Amino acid sequence: MGSVYTLINQKGGVGKTTTVVNLACWAALDGRRVLIVDADPQGNASSGLGVNRKALERCAYDMLVGAPDGSPTATASEVILKTGVENLMLIPATLNLAGADMALSTAIARERRLRQSLEPVRDDFDLIFIDTPPSLGILSVNALVASDFVIIPIQCEYYALEGVSQLLNVIGIAQAQLNPDLRIAGAVLTMYDSRTNLSEDVAAEVRADFEHHVFRTVIPRNVQLAEAPSYGQPIAIYAPSSRGAKRYYALYKEVFSDDQA
Ligand code: ATP
Ligand code: MG
């Protein structure tokens, strides 16, 4: 059964989506069967993989909420799409997913919807990555409940750790009440700029203050990483020899070398 990883940080623009897409892509290129679940109504992981979201008939919403009474109208297999990368599949998000917050607020077993809908396809994948929105709402809680591991991207910027204690609280509540098997794999430092002292200071501060593991591999600020999504491609395809691509490969190796998947 595939391991499920959620990339989460309620702070916006810290590199959640970039990390999901690029870890998933390297894992797929390494021969693992990989699924990305786009649980963010912004749909950045979907468009970053070249999916035309407006043309989609179904998305994660139909699998999580679906009908007006809150009962799902599609199974995971029905919403899974192939991507341009072999072994890499996607459950996309359209703007419909923005309605999930409201619709799920009255639904039964609302925190477990994602876990339940992924259950039938977990055996089909070695790794599943969930991309979450910049909030700690019901979609993020669903992701935590559906996951084995959490990875927290932290941007090397001022106030890097702002909100992290709130995030750890929510993870703790999810562990205590809904998913006792959930583990924090670690934090990953993103958008490190080697030309500034700030990045260095922030990285040192995070390594000193963050109470969980911080991965050795640091993701640099790299223009190709920012460009790749507009071509609908992960960096490993768009610019395989760029620093961004290489660092994400190193991160992939670091996170998954001991993994049984
Ligand atoms: P949101 O909270 O809105 O979902 P996010 O946490 O998913 O954001 P990303 O979308 O991955 O963050 O990154 C934010 C922006 O920064 C994007 O435009 C992305 O292309 C760019 N970006 C991410 N990582 C890097 C990097 N290492 N170097 C340069 N640009 C990056
Ligand atoms: Mg995102």
Side-chain angles (χ1 to χ4, degrees):
M1 193 153 77
S3 302
V4 184
Y5 284 76
T6 280
L7 274 285
I8 190 164
N9 189 336
Q10 77 275 29
K11 212 167 167 183
V14 298
K16 294 180 286 294
T17 302
T18 305
T19 304
V20 163
V21 168
N22 291 297
L23 284 182
C25 181
W26 277 124
L29 292 174
D30 200 26
R32 302 196 198 210
R33 299 165 305 163
V34 184
L35 174 68
I36 292 178
V37 180
D38 191 348
D40 180 359
Q42 297 180 98
N44 297 146
S46 307
S47 44
L49 286 164
V51 169
N52 177 4
R53 300 199 303 138
K54 294 208 177 96
L56 293 177
E57 279 170 28
R58 284 194 287 222
C59 83
Y61 182 82
D62 304 83
M63 175 185 95
L64 294 172
V65 185
D69 69 354
S71 53
T73 49
T75 63
S77 341
E78 287 169 336
V79 291
I80 289 176
L81 302 176
K82 286 186 174 160
T83 71
V85 181
E86 199 173 298
N87 297 328
L88 180 58
M89 314 286 262
L90 169 74
I91 293 181
T94 68
L95 279 174
N96 285 347
L97 194 56
D101 260 322
M102 187 104 84
L104 283 177
S105 66
T106 54
I108 297 162
R110 61 197 190 115
E111 294 95 351
R112 299 186 193 279
R113 284 291 173 97
L114 182 55
R115 186 180 186 95
Q116 286 162 348
S117 44
L118 291 178
E119 207 63 55
V121 297
R122 274 190 72 161
D123 280 340
D124 301 339
F125 297 97
D126 301 310
L127 285 173
I128 299 177
F129 292 93
I130 306 175
D131 189 22
T132 59
S135 75
L136 293 172
I138 191 71
L139 286 168
S140 296
V141 172
N142 264 269
L144 293 174
V145 175
S147 292
D148 303 300
F149 299 100
V150 168
I151 296 177
I152 303 170
I154 296 181
Q155 187 181 353
C156 296
E157 257 305 333
Y158 282 118
Y159 308 123
L161 285 172
E162 191 186 59
V164 168
S165 59
Q166 191 195 1
L167 172 59
L168 293 177
N169 275 342
V170 171
I171 293 170
I173 292 168
Q175 284 168 324
Q177 299 183 5
L178 297 157
N179 183 8
D181 299 330
L182 182 67
R183 295 283 168 270
I184 296 177
V188 54
L189 292 161
T190 63
M191 297 185 231
Y192 186 96
D193 189 342
S194 54
R195 296 165 306 179
T196 69
N197 292 334
L198 175 66
S199 278
E200 205 178 316
D201 294 348
V202 170
E205 185 194 321
V206 171
R207 289 192 191 282
D209 293 352
F210 186 64
E211 61 215 72
H212 298 276
H213 183 65
V214 180
F215 294 111
R216 266 191 328 278
T217 309
V218 171
I219 305 301
R221 193 171 273 287
N222 176 256
V223 65
Q224 279 98 340
L225 277 174
E227 284 168 1
S230 59
Y231 295 89
Q233 288 178 340
I235 189 94
I237 308 290
Y238 171 69
S241 55
S242 64
R243 285 187 64 226
K246 288 180 180 161
R247 288 284 90 197
Y248 269 113
Y249 183 70
L251 181 66
Y252 162 68
K253 284 292 187 192
E254 184 181 349
V255 177
F256 297 104
S257 55
D258 301 331
D259 191 271
Q260 263 85 60

